[in-house]
């Protein structure tokens, strides 16, 4: 029996073909139809938020059945901030050098990664050749610490968006998913699903992304309207801020001593050279 990833990949491939060549939709199974895989590297690090990784991975896996890699400084299990371990399939040293998508999650371990020389060096190197440089939640702060968001419009988890991103040279934007050139940043945790669908649409077209959304039955109807400070109100927001205070405080400390990157390392390209 085909597994879920195989079913999803087949459905997405058929959707991509239908969008491109409607008259040949019935020929979707022909061997001559080739959709090139997307080379994706998802960063893992101690204290990441697992859902930041698992949500996008679940929706992007069909694009990269054999070319989606979970990357950490060393291959093996990596503990998330809630105690769930994810398995890094490759190390920084062995990761593909040419990537279509470089992705960074957020989490309680953000500040440590903002100071981690090996992580920052890896991101700078792969970002210099990646088609898309991306993040979810406070992963954007790690990109910023690597000098990769200087001059770019970007978002992050609401707790750090307006207070920490500017310290890293980014222009904070209150939006769910923000595209600026080849940088794509998403807001907190659950926004990773929106990010993955938006990026899939850029990579394979809207029909492809719509098919992925339906396969995942992503039609959110949360039981409460409390997904933003404005919707949650001041009392709930204060409680959430208390939970997130250490993360924000440590991220601000990590951002404070960061100097502007070397010329050409993380500077934003001129508007004319940015990919829409």
């Amino acid at each position: 029996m085909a597994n879920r990833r195989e079913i999803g990949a087949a459905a997405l491939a058929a959707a991509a073909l239908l969008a491109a060549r409607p008259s040949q939709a019935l020929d979707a199974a022909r061997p001559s139809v080739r959709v090139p895989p997307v080379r994706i590297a998802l960063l893992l690090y101690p204290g990441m938020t697992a859902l930041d990784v698992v949500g996008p991975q679940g929706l992007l896996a069909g694009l990269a059945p054999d070319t989606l890699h979970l990357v950490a400084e060393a291959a093996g299990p990596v503990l998330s901030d809630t105690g769930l371990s994810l398995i890094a399939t490759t190390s920084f040293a062995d990761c593909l050098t040419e990537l279509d998508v470089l992705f960074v999650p957020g989490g309680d371990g953000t500040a440590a990664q903002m100071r981690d020389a090996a992580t920052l060096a890896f991101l700078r190197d792969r970002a210099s050749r990646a088609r898309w440089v991306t993040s979810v939640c406070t992963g954007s702060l790690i990109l910023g610490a690597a000098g990769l968001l200087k001059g770019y419009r970007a978002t992050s988890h609401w707790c750090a968006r307006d207070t920490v991103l500017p310290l890293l040279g980014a222009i904070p934007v209150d939006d769910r998913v923000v595209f600026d050139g080849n940088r794509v940043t998403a807001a907190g945790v659950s926004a990773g699903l929106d990010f993955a669908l938006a990026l899939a649409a850029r990579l394979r077209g809207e029909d492809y992304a719509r098919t992925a959304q339906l396969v995942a039955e992503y039609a959110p109807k949360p039981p409460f309207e409390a997904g933003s400070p404005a919707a949650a109100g001041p009392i709930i927001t204060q409680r959430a801020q208390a939970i997130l205070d250490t993360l924000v405080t440590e991220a601000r400390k990590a951002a404070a001593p960061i100097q502007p990157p070397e010329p050409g390392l993380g500077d934003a390209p001129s508007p004319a050279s940015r990919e829409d």
Side-chain angles (χ1 to χ4, degrees):
M1 180 178 293
N3 63 33
R4 181 174 174 179
R5 186 175 73 170
E6 291 169 340
I7 293 170
L12 297 182
L17 179 63
L18 179 61
R21 302 165 70 182
S23 65
Q24 298 186 29
L26 294 179
D27 296 332
R30 282 185 178 178
S32 60
V33 176
R34 293 285 185 261
V35 179
V38 179
R39 299 161 299 178
I40 302 174
L42 308 179
L43 178 69
L44 303 185
Y45 59 83
M48 68 194 162
T49 294
L51 187 56
D52 284 9
V53 179
V54 174
Q57 190 273 347
L59 289 175
L60 295 174
L63 288 167
D66 299 307
T67 54
L68 187 150
H69 306 282
L70 301 179
V71 186
E73 185 168 6
V78 183
L79 192 65
S80 74
D81 57 10
T82 59
L84 177 68
S85 287
L86 300 179
I87 306 297
T89 56
T90 190
S91 66
F92 289 169
D94 294 332
C95 179
L96 295 172
T97 57
E98 305 287 338
L99 295 168
D100 293 297
V101 179
L102 175 65
F103 171 85
V104 182
D108 289 348
T110 293
Q113 296 307 301
M114 292 172 70
R115 299 184 177 100
D116 188 83
T119 296
L120 300 181
F122 169 77
L123 293 176
R124 291 183 186 120
D125 178 76
R126 297 312 193 271
S128 67
R129 295 179 297 278
R131 180 179 175 190
W132 296 101
V133 179
T134 72
S135 67
V136 167
C137 198
T138 55
S140 59
L141 306 185
I142 301 172
L143 288 180
L148 298 172
L149 290 182
K150 182 176 172 59
Y152 284 89
R153 298 167 65 251
T155 193
S156 191
H157 192 288
W158 61 264
C159 71
R161 182 188 63 236
D162 298 327
T163 56
V164 185
L165 275 179
L167 300 177
L168 302 166
I171 304 164
V173 178
D174 182 4
D175 211 344
R176 190 80 167 161
V177 180
V178 176
F179 283 78
D180 191 355
N182 75 332
R183 271 42 169 186
V184 192
T185 53
V189 191
S190 63
L193 296 174
D194 297 29
F195 151 80
L197 291 172
L199 184 60
R202 297 291 184 107
L203 291 166
R204 286 287 189 268
E206 289 192 4
D207 280 357
Y208 196 111
R210 290 175 189 273
T211 305
Q213 181 174 354
L214 181 56
V215 169
E217 198 175 352
Y218 178 43
K221 293 183 179 180
F224 308 106
E225 288 296 327
S228 69
I235 294 177
I236 298 299
T237 298
Q238 288 174 8
R239 292 174 181 170
Q241 285 175 326
I243 295 170
L244 297 164
D245 180 66
T246 299
L247 168 60
V248 177
T249 299
E250 292 304 313
R252 285 177 63 91
K253 290 179 181 178
I258 293 173
Q259 300 299 314
E262 296 296 326
L265 189 61
D267 294 341
S270 63
S273 68
R274 290 190 178 188
E275 182 177 347
D276 292 333

